[in-house]
Amino acid sequence: MSWAVNNPLHHDVVFIVGDEHVERFYAHKVILCARSLYFKAMLTGGLKVSQQHSFMILFCFSTSPSQESNEKEIRLEEVSPDAFLLLLKYIYTKNMHVVEPTISSDLMVELFELASQYGLEPLKRKMEDLLIRCINLDNVLSLIALAGAHHAER
């Protein structure tokens, strides 16, 4: 399914991601709903507006005549495009190798938060493992707080 990641062919959801650097990501409801209960609730009407862990998700229905009438645009201002692309790659492929151990610790933290928010437990555990390897005196307190806020297993 890697061919479908951010592929506009037959997409029915567009994520507008980022605050300073904004990117558009094309997605498919059927895949998102199959892989995440959070997305299923969001995209099938069970969740309209949510604010959790500083992520604001709003539905905006496109009125552009060039777009399908059932396409949804979802704005994620507090999410970095890099983290969201990795999240989409994982959702579409279920492949843990899309997350390299060499990514920055900030990106690891953000991906951990996204995995926790969207109910992607295998990805959350993978990010826990990577973050454990990065613990040092400078970040130990913030990582403990992060682990507590997201009910980390370790």
Side-chain angles (χ1 to χ4, degrees):
M1 291 291 284
S2 61
W3 64 268
V5 176
N6 199 22
N7 187 336
L9 183 65
H10 304 301
H11 78 282
D12 49 8
V13 180
V14 176
F15 290 93
I16 302 168
V17 180
D19 189 19
E20 294 174 14
H21 173 69
V22 178
E23 288 188 35
R24 296 173 68 86
F25 293 95
Y26 301 98
H28 308 84
K29 282 192 266 187
V30 67
I31 295 169
L32 298 173
C33 291
R35 302 289 170 103
S36 167
L37 292 175
Y38 186 95
F39 280 121
K40 184 175 184 179
M42 179 198 299
L43 297 170
T44 60
L47 180 65
K48 292 293 183 189
V49 177
S50 173
Q51 186 169 5
Q52 179 182 10
H53 309 295
S54 78
F55 296 98
M56 178 64 86
I57 300 163
L58 300 171
F59 283 94
C60 305
F61 296 94
S62 173
T63 57
S64 171
S66 64
Q67 296 176 331
E68 296 178 24
S69 61
N70 62 350
E71 176 185 293
K72 291 183 179 177
E73 287 188 353
I74 302 170
R75 181 119 176 98
L76 302 172
E77 292 179 355
E78 297 296 322
V79 178
S80 76
D82 291 340
F84 194 75
L85 181 58
L86 288 174
L87 182 83
L88 278 182
K89 286 179 179 180
Y90 170 75
I91 289 171
Y92 276 72
T93 65
K94 287 278 195 165
N95 184 346
M96 290 296 178
H97 298 303
V98 301
V99 181
E100 297 296 326
T102 57
I103 66 174
S104 73
S105 59
D106 288 342
L107 193 53
M108 285 182 203
V109 166
E110 188 174 4
L111 200 50
F112 172 80
E113 290 175 324
L114 290 172
S116 178
Q117 179 180 358
Y118 297 140
L120 302 168
E121 290 302 314
L123 181 60
K124 180 181 170 185
R125 284 190 300 276
K126 166 78 172 189
M127 299 319 301
E128 276 182 61
D129 291 342
L130 292 176
L131 286 167
I132 286 170
R133 295 178 195 164
C134 296
I135 293 175
N136 60 45
L137 290 176
D138 294 328
N139 66 13
V140 67
L141 293 178
S142 64
L143 290 179
I144 288 172
L146 178 73
H150 292 278
H151 310 290
E153 294 177 4
R154 297 183 272 148

